[in-house]
PDB file of all heavy atoms in Angstrom:
ATOM      1  N   ASN A 220       5.245  18.367  -7.465  1.00 69.00           N
ATOM      2  CA  ASN A 220       6.055  18.110  -8.677  1.00 69.00           C
ATOM      3  C   ASN A 220       5.396  17.001  -9.546  1.00 69.00           C
ATOM      4  O   ASN A 220       5.418  15.826  -9.119  1.00 69.00           O
ATOM      5  CB  ASN A 220       7.456  17.769  -8.263  1.00 69.00           C
ATOM      6  CG  ASN A 220       8.370  17.497  -9.403  1.00 69.00           C
ATOM      7  OD1 ASN A 220       7.921  17.384 -10.568  1.00 69.00           O
ATOM      8  ND2 ASN A 220       9.661  17.410  -9.198  1.00 69.00           N
ATOM      9  N   PRO A 221       4.861  17.312 -10.685  1.00 70.00           N
ATOM     10  CA  PRO A 221       4.248  16.291 -11.481  1.00 70.00           C
ATOM     11  C   PRO A 221       5.155  15.155 -11.950  1.00 70.00           C
ATOM     12  O   PRO A 221       4.777  14.020 -12.162  1.00 70.00           O
ATOM     13  CB  PRO A 221       3.768  17.039 -12.795  1.00 70.00           C
ATOM     14  CG  PRO A 221       3.774  18.494 -12.311  1.00 70.00           C
ATOM     15  CD  PRO A 221       4.792  18.687 -11.298  1.00 70.00           C
ATOM     16  N   ARG A 222       6.462  15.465 -12.009  1.00 67.00           N
ATOM     17  CA  ARG A 222       7.423  14.427 -12.390  1.00 67.00           C
ATOM     18  C   ARG A 222       7.475  13.358 -11.334  1.00 67.00           C
ATOM     19  O   ARG A 222       7.786  12.158 -11.617  1.00 67.00           O
ATOM     20  CB  ARG A 222       8.783  14.999 -12.643  1.00 67.00           C
ATOM     21  CG  ARG A 222       8.808  16.006 -13.781  1.00 67.00           C
ATOM     22  CD  ARG A 222       8.960  15.298 -15.112  1.00 67.00           C
ATOM     23  NE  ARG A 222       8.919  16.266 -16.200  1.00 67.00           N
ATOM     24  CZ  ARG A 222       8.276  16.082 -17.292  1.00 67.00           C
ATOM     25  NH1 ARG A 222       7.788  14.871 -17.560  1.00 67.00           N
ATOM     26  NH2 ARG A 222       8.223  16.932 -18.248  1.00 67.00           N
ATOM     27  N   LEU A 223       7.205  13.732 -10.059  1.00 66.00           N
ATOM     28  CA  LEU A 223       7.214  12.700  -8.994  1.00 66.00           C
ATOM     29  C   LEU A 223       5.927  12.015  -8.852  1.00 66.00           C
ATOM     30  O   LEU A 223       5.823  10.794  -8.623  1.00 66.00           O
ATOM     31  CB  LEU A 223       7.532  13.361  -7.664  1.00 66.00           C
ATOM     32  CG  LEU A 223       8.904  13.984  -7.467  1.00 66.00           C
ATOM     33  CD1 LEU A 223       9.011  14.708  -6.134  1.00 66.00           C
ATOM     34  CD2 LEU A 223       9.981  12.922  -7.587  1.00 66.00           C
ATOM     35  N   PHE A 224       4.786  12.696  -9.057  1.00 70.00           N
ATOM     36  CA  PHE A 224       3.466  12.182  -8.838  1.00 70.00           C
ATOM     37  C   PHE A 224       2.872  11.492 -10.032  1.00 70.00           C
ATOM     38  O   PHE A 224       1.938  10.757  -9.874  1.00 70.00           O
ATOM     39  CB  PHE A 224       2.556  13.271  -8.275  1.00 70.00           C
ATOM     40  CG  PHE A 224       2.866  13.529  -6.802  1.00 70.00           C
ATOM     41  CD1 PHE A 224       3.750  14.558  -6.444  1.00 70.00           C
ATOM     42  CD2 PHE A 224       2.343  12.780  -5.784  1.00 70.00           C
ATOM     43  CE1 PHE A 224       4.038  14.812  -5.119  1.00 70.00           C
ATOM     44  CE2 PHE A 224       2.639  12.989  -4.470  1.00 70.00           C
ATOM     45  CZ  PHE A 224       3.481  14.055  -4.129  1.00 70.00           C
ATOM     46  N   PHE A 225       3.338  11.816 -11.182  1.00 76.00           N
ATOM     47  CA  PHE A 225       2.868  11.173 -12.388  1.00 76.00           C
ATOM     48  C   PHE A 225       4.109  10.260 -12.836  1.00 76.00           C
ATOM     49  O   PHE A 225       4.846  10.576 -13.727  1.00 76.00           O
ATOM     50  CB  PHE A 225       2.525  12.154 -13.467  1.00 76.00           C
ATOM     51  CG  PHE A 225       1.289  12.936 -13.177  1.00 76.00           C
ATOM     52  CD1 PHE A 225       1.271  13.952 -12.227  1.00 76.00           C
ATOM     53  CD2 PHE A 225       0.086  12.580 -13.817  1.00 76.00           C
ATOM     54  CE1 PHE A 225       0.126  14.603 -11.977  1.00 76.00           C
ATOM     55  CE2 PHE A 225      -1.062  13.292 -13.527  1.00 76.00           C
ATOM     56  CZ  PHE A 225      -1.079  14.307 -12.619  1.00 76.00           C
ATOM     57  N   ARG A 226       4.210   9.145 -12.171  1.00 76.00           N
ATOM     58  CA  ARG A 226       5.432   8.298 -12.216  1.00 76.00           C
ATOM     59  C   ARG A 226       5.614   7.533 -13.515  1.00 76.00           C
ATOM     60  O   ARG A 226       6.550   7.729 -14.213  1.00 76.00           O
ATOM     61  CB  ARG A 226       5.471   7.370 -11.058  1.00 76.00           C
ATOM     62  CG  ARG A 226       6.775   6.700 -10.841  1.00 76.00           C
ATOM     63  CD  ARG A 226       6.684   5.796  -9.561  1.00 76.00           C
ATOM     64  NE  ARG A 226       5.704   4.748  -9.742  1.00 76.00           N
ATOM     65  CZ  ARG A 226       5.957   3.635 -10.393  1.00 76.00           C
ATOM     66  NH1 ARG A 226       7.094   3.410 -10.920  1.00 76.00           N
ATOM     67  NH2 ARG A 226       5.033   2.732 -10.488  1.00 76.00           N
ATOM     68  N   SER A 227       4.679   6.588 -13.807  1.00 79.00           N
ATOM     69  CA  SER A 227       4.924   5.799 -14.983  1.00 79.00           C
ATOM     70  C   SER A 227       3.662   5.561 -15.875  1.00 79.00           C
ATOM     71  O   SER A 227       3.766   5.539 -17.032  1.00 79.00           O
ATOM     72  CB  SER A 227       5.454   4.432 -14.588  1.00 79.00           C
ATOM     73  OG  SER A 227       4.434   3.553 -14.132  1.00 79.00           O
ATOM     74  N   GLY A 228       2.520   5.467 -15.241  1.00 80.00           N
ATOM     75  CA  GLY A 228       1.286   5.242 -16.081  1.00 80.00           C
ATOM     76  C   GLY A 228       1.179   3.852 -16.693  1.00 80.00           C
ATOM     77  O   GLY A 228       0.212   3.614 -17.441  1.00 80.00           O
ATOM     78  N   LYS A 229       2.124   3.010 -16.358  1.00 82.00           N
ATOM     79  CA  LYS A 229       2.119   1.661 -16.980  1.00 82.00           C
ATOM     80  C   LYS A 229       1.127   0.744 -16.409  1.00 82.00           C
ATOM     81  O   LYS A 229       0.724   0.916 -15.192  1.00 82.00           O
ATOM     82  CB  LYS A 229       3.523   1.033 -16.865  1.00 82.00           C
ATOM     83  CG  LYS A 229       4.587   1.788 -17.554  1.00 82.00           C
ATOM     84  CD  LYS A 229       5.926   1.116 -17.301  1.00 82.00           C
ATOM     85  CE  LYS A 229       7.093   1.934 -17.949  1.00 82.00           C
ATOM     86  NZ  LYS A 229       8.366   1.381 -17.575  1.00 82.00           N
ATOM     87  N   ILE A 230       0.604  -0.173 -17.148  1.00 86.00           N
ATOM     88  CA  ILE A 230      -0.407  -1.070 -16.676  1.00 86.00           C
ATOM     89  C   ILE A 230       0.112  -2.340 -16.020  1.00 86.00           C
ATOM     90  O   ILE A 230      -0.529  -2.993 -15.293  1.00 86.00           O
ATOM     91  CB  ILE A 230      -1.417  -1.429 -17.771  1.00 86.00           C
ATOM     92  CG1 ILE A 230      -0.777  -2.162 -18.890  1.00 86.00           C
ATOM     93  CG2 ILE A 230      -2.213  -0.220 -18.230  1.00 86.00           C
ATOM     94  CD1 ILE A 230      -1.690  -2.807 -19.840  1.00 86.00           C
ATOM     95  N   ASP A 231       1.337  -2.661 -16.357  1.00 89.00           N
ATOM     96  CA  ASP A 231       1.936  -3.914 -15.839  1.00 89.00           C
ATOM     97  C   ASP A 231       3.230  -3.687 -15.011  1.00 89.00           C
ATOM     98  O   ASP A 231       4.050  -4.528 -14.806  1.00 89.00           O
ATOM     99  CB  ASP A 231       2.201  -4.848 -16.973  1.00 89.00           C
ATOM    100  CG  ASP A 231       3.134  -4.230 -18.029  1.00 89.00           C
ATOM    101  OD1 ASP A 231       3.561  -3.073 -17.810  1.00 89.00           O
ATOM    102  OD2 ASP A 231       3.359  -4.912 -19.060  1.00 89.00           O
ATOM    103  N   ASP A 232       3.400  -2.494 -14.496  1.00 87.00           N
ATOM    104  CA  ASP A 232       4.528  -2.145 -13.722  1.00 87.00           C
ATOM    105  C   ASP A 232       4.705  -3.058 -12.471  1.00 87.00           C
ATOM    106  O   ASP A 232       5.789  -3.337 -11.984  1.00 87.00           O
ATOM    107  CB  ASP A 232       4.466  -0.691 -13.275  1.00 87.00           C
ATOM    108  CG  ASP A 232       5.784  -0.110 -12.788  1.00 87.00           C
ATOM    109  OD1 ASP A 232       6.790  -0.554 -13.232  1.00 87.00           O
ATOM    110  OD2 ASP A 232       5.719   0.833 -11.993  1.00 87.00           O
ATOM    111  N   TRP A 233       3.580  -3.546 -11.972  1.00 92.00           N
ATOM    112  CA  TRP A 233       3.646  -4.351 -10.827  1.00 92.00           C
ATOM    113  C   TRP A 233       4.445  -5.666 -10.996  1.00 92.00           C
ATOM    114  O   TRP A 233       4.986  -6.238 -10.069  1.00 92.00           O
ATOM    115  CB  TRP A 233       2.199  -4.779 -10.309  1.00 92.00           C
ATOM    116  CG  TRP A 233       1.443  -5.570 -11.328  1.00 92.00           C
ATOM    117  CD1 TRP A 233       0.588  -5.151 -12.295  1.00 92.00           C
ATOM    118  CD2 TRP A 233       1.427  -7.006 -11.450  1.00 92.00           C
ATOM    119  NE1 TRP A 233       0.033  -6.207 -13.008  1.00 92.00           N
ATOM    120  CE2 TRP A 233       0.565  -7.325 -12.531  1.00 92.00           C
ATOM    121  CE3 TRP A 233       2.053  -8.019 -10.761  1.00 92.00           C
ATOM    122  CZ2 TRP A 233       0.323  -8.661 -12.932  1.00 92.00           C
ATOM    123  CZ3 TRP A 233       1.814  -9.331 -11.124  1.00 92.00           C
ATOM    124  CH2 TRP A 233       0.947  -9.621 -12.204  1.00 92.00           C
ATOM    125  N   MET A 234       4.478  -6.160 -12.275  1.00 92.00           N
ATOM    126  CA  MET A 234       5.279  -7.425 -12.524  1.00 92.00           C
ATOM    127  C   MET A 234       6.747  -7.329 -12.136  1.00 92.00           C
ATOM    128  O   MET A 234       7.336  -8.300 -11.689  1.00 92.00           O
ATOM    129  CB  MET A 234       5.168  -7.767 -13.933  1.00 92.00           C
ATOM    130  CG  MET A 234       3.782  -8.203 -14.357  1.00 92.00           C
ATOM    131  SD  MET A 234       3.684  -8.602 -16.149  1.00 92.00           S
ATOM    132  CE  MET A 234       1.974  -8.995 -16.321  1.00 92.00           C
ATOM    133  N   SER A 235       7.326  -6.140 -12.301  1.00 91.00           N
ATOM    134  CA  SER A 235       8.687  -5.944 -11.815  1.00 91.00           C
ATOM    135  C   SER A 235       8.875  -5.430 -10.443  1.00 91.00           C
ATOM    136  O   SER A 235       9.998  -5.272  -9.961  1.00 91.00           O
ATOM    137  CB  SER A 235       9.380  -5.026 -12.841  1.00 91.00           C
ATOM    138  OG  SER A 235       8.858  -3.746 -12.757  1.00 91.00           O
ATOM    139  N   GLN A 236       7.786  -5.148  -9.789  1.00 89.00           N
ATOM    140  CA  GLN A 236       7.855  -4.519  -8.451  1.00 89.00           C
ATOM    141  C   GLN A 236       7.505  -5.428  -7.256  1.00 89.00           C
ATOM    142  O   GLN A 236       7.988  -5.229  -6.169  1.00 89.00           O
ATOM    143  CB  GLN A 236       6.867  -3.314  -8.423  1.00 89.00           C
ATOM    144  CG  GLN A 236       7.104  -2.252  -9.447  1.00 89.00           C
ATOM    145  CD  GLN A 236       8.248  -1.356  -9.092  1.00 89.00           C
ATOM    146  OE1 GLN A 236       8.471  -1.033  -7.944  1.00 89.00           O
ATOM    147  NE2 GLN A 236       8.958  -0.867 -10.056  1.00 89.00           N
ATOM    148  N   ILE A 237       6.696  -6.445  -7.487  1.00 92.00           N
ATOM    149  CA  ILE A 237       6.284  -7.255  -6.417  1.00 92.00           C
ATOM    150  C   ILE A 237       6.466  -8.750  -6.694  1.00 92.00           C
ATOM    151  O   ILE A 237       6.365  -9.133  -7.885  1.00 92.00           O
ATOM    152  CB  ILE A 237       4.837  -7.021  -5.957  1.00 92.00           C
ATOM    153  CG1 ILE A 237       3.826  -7.298  -7.157  1.00 92.00           C
ATOM    154  CG2 ILE A 237       4.610  -5.562  -5.482  1.00 92.00           C
ATOM    155  CD1 ILE A 237       2.406  -7.165  -6.783  1.00 92.00           C
TER     156      ILE A 237
END
Side-chain angles (χ1 to χ4, degrees):
N220 181 346
R222 299 275 175 219
L223 294 176
F224 285 93
F225 290 76
R226 192 179 63 80
S227 79
K229 296 178 183 172
I230 60 169
D231 56 2
D232 196 27
W233 64 267
M234 292 179 180
S235 64
Q236 301 280 329
I237 59 176

